[in-house]
């Protein structure tokens, strides 16, 4: 066998993947790592400023508000979606009628575009002539329209939309975990007189531990990173109430063309620094969670 | 006791199923309503089925262009992803060469580290330098470059193809390239199908990337972008029926694919747990 020829062949087959990954995946990250030490607005001269951008991040009120918003958003999303997904998974793991159809229905939202659904939800939650308000006023005798996307409820609304899109995914992951639990454990516990609730508490939860740890970690990262649907539905408004950190970063790189937006100029250098800080925040939370939840994976 | 328990169980399941389906059903039914009915009345079924909404959205609101653009982006990036990822998976699985481990860690790295919209900026500037920002090829190349998950899926499928087949082909005088096209690719079809489903869904649903790339070129907008822009349009309030029809146009292809390939969609998601 011709070894040199094989190696050359391997490299040639790897080349398209390697070059695309380097140029469009790795290079942009290095670009950001470099510019976080620069003052650069996308045009004109770039000026090395050392850690000045990071000092500015520390003082940036709007950014820290967006961090707080992100925690509210992620926390709300997790608190609603994880328990609901777990309950649905446990039920649909029983041998009930129509379980396949129900699984398919609950999973459906995850295949639809987040942006498209955000547009649809916008028309549903719209305070003026929104579909939800029409129904509420007609059938539930609510006197005045609820301002679902206003200051008071906007965060709740975007959380509900996020939960709608996420539950099916986590349900399916829980289901996969449940199916790995041997059935005879349940059978022998039933012989010992355990009811379904006891089985859930003393068998399902502990045996699902490692899988649950991973699903929640995935969910945390996703919740901290998600901003597409918020961008379409509220664009961070009203008055920054739903501005999350990834949306804040986005706007530093692609400032809105008009209107009374918070930032009007491109801030490539500063934006890179903010992005780095957000990545660190996500990283720290992930690590904290991972070590804090170790008991879950010990399976006892 | 048993009956009460069953009632609670089924009420719960039906309520959740209703809430899950409601937005999609309301969109579908809304796409046949007149604009006046959408903005004024709390009706469930359309009073008068307006099939013309689709025709008008298709022509007036430019959904014909958006659909073509979406199809182009999704098809090209799916084909590109399959080609690039399957070639890489083949040599990583079957050959021995220096730097293999580095390459695999590189792919894993790109899957787990993401810093959001920041990377869009250098990507955009690169495409301007390459003169690819005037077309959708820039978007397509960036979508193809994110092929790490397809690579790992195909790698695991590749493991299932017996190596004896390659060896037999080699003894018969087949070159490595020929073995790939004639033996591996046909046997890899199930894996390619799953990857295609995922890549197509991802590209079809992608919003931010085509949005940024078409900011100054509305004629290149995809369905997701064109639809979201209707929301910002000057006459947004008067175009709800277009929004509903457009949403249906963008949901339907994926929904139909899902109904037929329901199992594959679900297995892949569930499979991602076992690592």
């Amino acid at each position: 066998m011709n070894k040199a020829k094989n190696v050359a062949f391997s490299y040639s087959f790897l080349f398209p993947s390697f070059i695309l990954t380097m140029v469009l995946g790795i290079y942009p990250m290095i670009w950001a790592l470099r510019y976080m030490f620069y003052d650069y607005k996308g045009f004109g001269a770039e000026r090395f400023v050392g850690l000045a951008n990071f000092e500015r991040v520390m003082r940036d009120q709007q950014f820290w508000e967006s961090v707080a918003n992100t925690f509210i958003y992620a926390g709300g999303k997790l608190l609603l979606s994880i328990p609901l997904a777990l309950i649905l998974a446990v039920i649909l793991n029983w041998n009930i009628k129509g379980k396949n159809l129900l699984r398919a229905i609950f999973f459906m939202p995850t295949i639809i575009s987040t942006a498209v659904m955000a547009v649809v939800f916008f028309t549903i939650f719209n305070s003026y002539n929104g579909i939800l308000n029409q129904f509420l006023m007609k059938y539930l005798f609510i006197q005045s329209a609820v301002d679902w996307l206003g200051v008071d409820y906007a965060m709740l609304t975007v959380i509900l939309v996020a939960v709608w899109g996420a539950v099916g995914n986590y349900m399916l992951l829980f289901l996969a975990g449940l199916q790995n639990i041997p059935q005879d454990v349940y059978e022998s516990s039933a012989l010992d007189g355990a009811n379904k609730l006891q089985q859930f508490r003393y068998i399902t939860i502990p045996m699902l531990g490692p899988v649950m740890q991973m699903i929640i970690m995935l969910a945390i990262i996703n919740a901290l990173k998600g901003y597409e649907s918020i961008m379409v539905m509220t664009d961070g408004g009203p008055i920054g109430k739903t501005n999350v950190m990834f949306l804040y970063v986005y706007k530093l790189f692609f400032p809105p063309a008009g209107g009374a937006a918070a930032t009007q100029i491109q801030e490539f250098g500063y934006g890179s620094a903010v992005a780095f800080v957000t990545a660190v925040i996500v990283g720290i939370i992930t690590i904290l969670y991972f070590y804090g939840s170790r008991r879950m994976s010990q399976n006892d | 006791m048993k009956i009460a328990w069953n009632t609670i169980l089924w009420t719960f399941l039906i309520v959740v199923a209703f809430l899950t389906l409601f937005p999609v059903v309301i969109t579908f039914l809304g796409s046949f309503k007149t604009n006046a009915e959408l903005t004024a009345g709390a009706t469930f079924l359309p009073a008068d089925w307006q099939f013309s909404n689709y025709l008008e959205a298709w022509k007036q609101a430019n959904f014909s262009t958006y659909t073509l653009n979406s199809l182009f982006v999704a098809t090209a990036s799916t084909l590109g992803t399959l080609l690039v990822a399957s070639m890489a998976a083949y040599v990583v699985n079957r050959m021995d060469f220096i730097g293999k481990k580095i390459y695999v860690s590189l792919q894993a790295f790109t899957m787990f580290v993401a810093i959001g919209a920041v990377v869009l900026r250098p990507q955009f500037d690169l495409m301007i330098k390459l003169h690819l920002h005037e077309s959708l090829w820039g978007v397509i190349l960036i979508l193809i470059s994110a092929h790490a998950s397809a690579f790992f899926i195909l790698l695991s499928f590749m493991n299932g193809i017996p190596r004896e087949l390659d060896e037999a082909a080699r003894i018969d005088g087949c070159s490595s390239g020929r073995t790939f096209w004639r033996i591996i690719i046909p046997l890899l079809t199930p894996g390619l199908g799953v990857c295609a489903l995922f890549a197509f869904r991802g590209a079809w649903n992608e919003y931010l990337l085509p949005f940024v790339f078409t900011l100054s070129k509305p004629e290149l907008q995809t369905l997701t972008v064109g639809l979201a822009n209707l929301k910002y349009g000057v006459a947004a309030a008067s175009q709800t029926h277009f929004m509903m029809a457009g949403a249906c146009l963008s949901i339907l292809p994926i929904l139909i694919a899902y109904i037929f390939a329901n199992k594959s969609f679900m297995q892949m998601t569930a499979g991602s747990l076992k690592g």
Side-chain angles (χ1 to χ4, degrees):
Chain A
M1 199 158 48
N2 193 336
K3 198 148 192 244
K5 208 173 140 194
N6 251 336
V7 170
F9 170 80
S10 298
Y11 286 141
S12 72
F13 253 45
L14 213 55
F15 182 74
S17 165
F18 181 73
I19 204 83
L20 279 170
T21 308
M22 287 310 283
V23 172
L24 294 169
I26 302 296
Y27 162 76
M29 290 189 204
I30 297 170
W31 182 95
L33 280 178
R34 174 175 180 268
Y35 274 109
M36 61 193 193
F37 301 111
Y38 282 80
D39 178 23
Y40 179 49
K41 307 224 185 295
F43 51 84
E46 40 184 81
R47 195 165 53 87
F48 184 78
V49 291
L51 294 173
N53 282 331
F54 290 94
E55 275 172 50
R56 192 175 147 198
V57 177
M58 293 304 146
R59 284 182 282 109
D60 187 345
Q61 200 90 44
Q62 270 188 31
F63 171 66
W64 293 106
E65 269 167 34
S66 80
V67 174
N69 285 336
T70 310
F71 287 165
I72 299 171
Y73 173 73
K77 183 180 172 185
L78 286 172
L79 281 176
L80 290 173
S81 63
I82 294 290
L84 185 58
L86 181 59
I87 293 167
L88 288 175
V90 169
I91 294 174
L92 294 184
N93 198 37
W94 297 336
N95 223 348
I96 60 168
K97 248 185 220 158
K99 65 175 178 188
N100 286 333
L101 178 67
L102 284 168
R103 282 179 193 178
I105 290 174
F106 297 143
F107 188 68
M108 180 206 61
T110 56
I111 60 146
I112 301 176
S113 160
T114 323
V116 169
M117 278 329 284
V119 172
V120 169
F121 276 111
F122 174 77
T123 64
I124 290 176
F125 285 110
N126 202 357
S127 67
Y128 171 71
N129 69 41
I131 292 161
L132 182 62
N133 275 336
Q134 289 173 17
F135 276 100
L136 287 178
M137 280 153 74
K138 191 170 174 190
Y139 297 108
L140 286 174
F141 309 108
I142 285 173
Q143 291 304 313
S144 58
V146 181
D147 195 1
W148 292 108
L149 297 168
V151 178
D152 296 333
Y153 296 110
M155 182 54 97
L156 180 72
T157 305
V158 295
I159 288 174
L160 289 178
V161 172
V163 170
W164 182 85
V167 164
N169 200 24
Y170 301 135
M171 171 203 74
L172 203 67
L173 294 176
F174 277 129
L175 260 172
L178 287 172
Q179 274 154 12
N180 285 336
I181 302 176
Q183 211 53 45
D184 39 336
V185 185
Y186 287 105
E187 280 159 20
S188 65
S189 74
L191 283 178
D192 290 342
N195 63 28
K196 279 220 156 82
L197 222 58
Q198 286 170 323
Q199 285 181 339
F200 178 72
R201 170 68 190 83
Y202 294 104
I203 298 173
T204 310
I205 293 285
M207 294 204 71
L208 208 56
V211 168
M212 183 132 53
Q213 186 195 25
M214 224 175 80
I215 295 172
I216 296 178
M217 190 146 98
L218 263 176
I220 290 175
I221 298 173
N222 274 338
L224 291 174
K225 278 178 18 183
Y227 66 98
E228 213 176 77
S229 70
I230 299 180
M231 183 177 160
V232 174
M233 253 190 308
T234 64
D235 202 22
I239 53 163
K241 279 281 174 189
T242 57
N243 205 12
V244 288
M245 47 189 192
F246 271 88
L247 185 57
Y248 184 73
V249 173
Y250 171 82
K251 283 184 175 171
L252 289 169
F253 284 93
F254 299 95
T263 320
Q264 295 290 347
I265 27 162
Q266 305 176 346
E267 293 267 19
F268 291 2
Y270 181 58
S272 300
V274 177
F276 184 77
V277 174
T278 56
V280 169
I281 292 175
V282 174
I284 289 174
I285 290 169
T286 314
I287 292 167
L288 281 181
Y289 170 76
F290 190 75
Y291 284 100
S293 66
R294 258 182 314 179
R295 254 194 65 216
M296 251 194 240
S297 64
Q298 275 156 8
N299 212 353
D300 54 1
Chain B
M1 180 60 200
K2 180 110 187 155
I3 293 172
W5 168 241
N6 269 335
T7 316
I8 295 171
L9 181 74
W10 280 99
T11 313
F12 171 72
L13 286 176
I14 288 167
V15 167
V16 179
F18 173 78
L19 290 176
T20 309
L21 288 173
F22 180 76
V24 179
V25 173
I26 214 79
T27 309
F28 181 69
L29 293 173
S31 70
F32 295 107
K33 291 178 184 172
T34 62
N35 203 32
E37 191 183 353
L38 268 168
T39 47
T43 54
F44 203 72
L45 284 173
D48 189 16
W49 292 74
Q50 300 289 317
F51 293 97
S52 59
N53 280 354
Y54 282 86
L55 203 67
E56 277 176 62
W58 189 257
K59 283 186 195 152
Q60 249 177 278
N62 266 329
F63 273 91
S64 53
T65 314
Y66 302 152
T67 308
L68 277 178
N69 289 340
S70 274
L71 265 178
F72 173 58
V73 169
T75 311
S77 58
T78 303
L79 290 176
T81 303
L82 292 185
L83 184 69
V84 169
S86 62
M87 281 163 66
Y90 173 56
V91 292
V92 166
N93 190 247
R94 295 295 212 252
M95 308 282 173
D96 239 345
F97 54 90
I98 300 162
K100 189 155 100 173
K101 276 197 177 138
I102 298 172
Y103 170 81
V104 174
S105 343
L106 187 76
Q107 290 302 329
F109 177 78
T110 60
M111 236 166 72
F112 291 111
V113 179
I115 46 176
V118 188
V119 292
L120 279 176
R121 195 67 241 184
Q123 283 172 342
F124 188 64
D125 294 346
L126 264 174
M127 289 307 162
I128 291 177
K129 278 184 196 137
L130 295 170
H131 298 286
L132 287 173
H133 63 297
E134 298 282 347
S135 69
L136 283 166
W137 284 107
V139 176
I140 291 165
L141 275 179
I142 295 172
L143 285 170
I144 296 174
S145 76
H147 60 268
S149 58
F151 165 75
F152 284 112
I153 291 171
L154 290 177
L155 203 57
S156 67
F157 272 97
M158 200 80 77
N159 263 328
I161 302 174
R163 279 154 200 273
E164 287 79 11
L165 287 173
D166 306 34
E167 275 152 31
R170 182 150 306 135
I171 289 163
D172 288 348
C174 219
S175 70
S176 298
R178 230 174 120 86
T179 310
F180 174 71
W181 289 111
R182 290 294 172 85
I183 292 169
I184 301 292
I185 287 289
L187 290 169
L188 202 60
T189 316
L192 290 170
V194 168
C195 285
L197 219 52
F198 270 54
F200 193 88
R201 177 186 69 168
W204 184 267
N205 287 344
E206 177 71 35
Y207 169 67
L208 210 55
L209 191 54
F211 173 71
V212 165
F213 269 76
T214 59
L215 276 175
S216 57
K217 286 168 286 290
E219 73 278 7
L220 293 180
Q221 282 169 6
T222 58
L223 272 174
T224 48
V225 179
L227 187 67
N229 280 355
L230 269 189
K231 197 200 127 198
Y232 298 113
V234 230
S238 64
Q239 290 182 322
T240 315
H241 58 313
F242 286 170
M243 270 158 81
M244 294 303 200
C248 282
L249 282 175
S250 73
I251 292 172
L252 272 177
I254 287 295
L255 203 60
I256 291 168
Y258 173 59
I259 289 167
F260 283 109
N262 178 4
K263 274 233 167 73
S264 305
F265 271 109
M266 299 243 223
Q267 271 165 2
M268 270 338 288
T269 311
S272 63
L273 251 186
K274 302 161 196 154

